[in-house]
């Protein structure tokens, strides 16, 4: 199981019925390898009946994260900027919209990296 820590300065609203948590103001999500910063973050989750023996809490799973407003994603040395980012957990896919900008640090420089075969 992986751990993700999400913090914010503003209010945090959790709706267990709809299984959504809304983080506001200076939001940061960190899984130890990647960081996402934004003004607002909607985290869609699903709770299981399985209980964590350490905490006594039910285990949850993140399905989707929607980040909006001044979104910055840091993955190693690479960075992306956009107004909105949607992370789909099951597909391990991120969709950037709103003037997306990607900064990739490549070995050897240039645009000569090979994609696929």
């Amino acid at each position: 199981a992986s751990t993700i820590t999400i913090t914010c300065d503003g209010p945090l609203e959790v709706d267990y019925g709809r299984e959504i948590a809304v983080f506001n103001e200076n939001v940061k999500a960190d899984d130890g390898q990647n960081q996402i910063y934004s003004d607002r973050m909607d985290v869609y989750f699903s709770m299981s009946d399985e209980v964590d023996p350490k905490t006594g809490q039910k285990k949850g799973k993140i399905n989707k994260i929607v980040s909006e407003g001044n979104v910055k994603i840091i993955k190693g040395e690479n960075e992306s900027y956009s107004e909105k980012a949607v992370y789909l957990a099951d597909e391990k896919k991120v969709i950037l919209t709103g003037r997306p900008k990607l900064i990739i640090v490549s070995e050897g420089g240039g645009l000569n990296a090979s994609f696929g075969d």
Side-chain angles (χ1 to χ4, degrees):
S2 60
T3 301
I4 183 166
T5 303
I6 305 173
T7 57
C8 66
D9 289 344
L12 164 60
E13 304 156 34
V14 181
D15 184 335
Y16 287 100
R18 292 177 49 223
E19 296 188 322
I20 181 172
V22 180
F23 296 80
N24 293 282
E25 296 178 37
N26 295 324
V27 186
K28 178 185 179 186
D30 190 337
D31 69 359
Q33 296 179 326
N34 312 294
Q35 295 82 42
I36 304 174
Y37 300 87
S38 63
D39 294 339
R40 173 189 164 120
M41 188 176 289
D42 296 353
V43 179
Y44 296 83
F45 60 89
S46 53
M47 300 303 292
S48 73
D49 290 330
E50 193 179 345
V51 175
D52 186 328
K54 292 181 195 166
T55 64
Q57 301 280 327
K58 281 188 176 181
K59 289 187 176 181
K61 174 180 176 284
I62 291 176
N63 301 317
K64 178 170 78 170
I65 297 175
V66 179
S67 303
E68 293 185 272
N70 301 301
V71 180
K72 176 167 88 168
I73 301 174
I74 299 174
K75 187 175 178 73
E77 294 182 8
N78 303 323
E79 298 178 11
S80 72
Y81 299 86
S82 61
E83 277 307 305
K84 183 174 180 181
V86 177
Y87 170 68
L88 304 172
D90 288 342
E91 299 174 43
K92 293 184 170 48
K93 179 169 150 182
V94 177
I95 302 162
L96 304 176
T97 56
R99 300 179 53 90
K101 174 182 174 183
L102 188 60
I103 300 170
I104 298 173
V105 178
S106 68
E107 299 291 323
L111 288 173
N112 59 1
S114 68
F115 293 92
D117 294 329

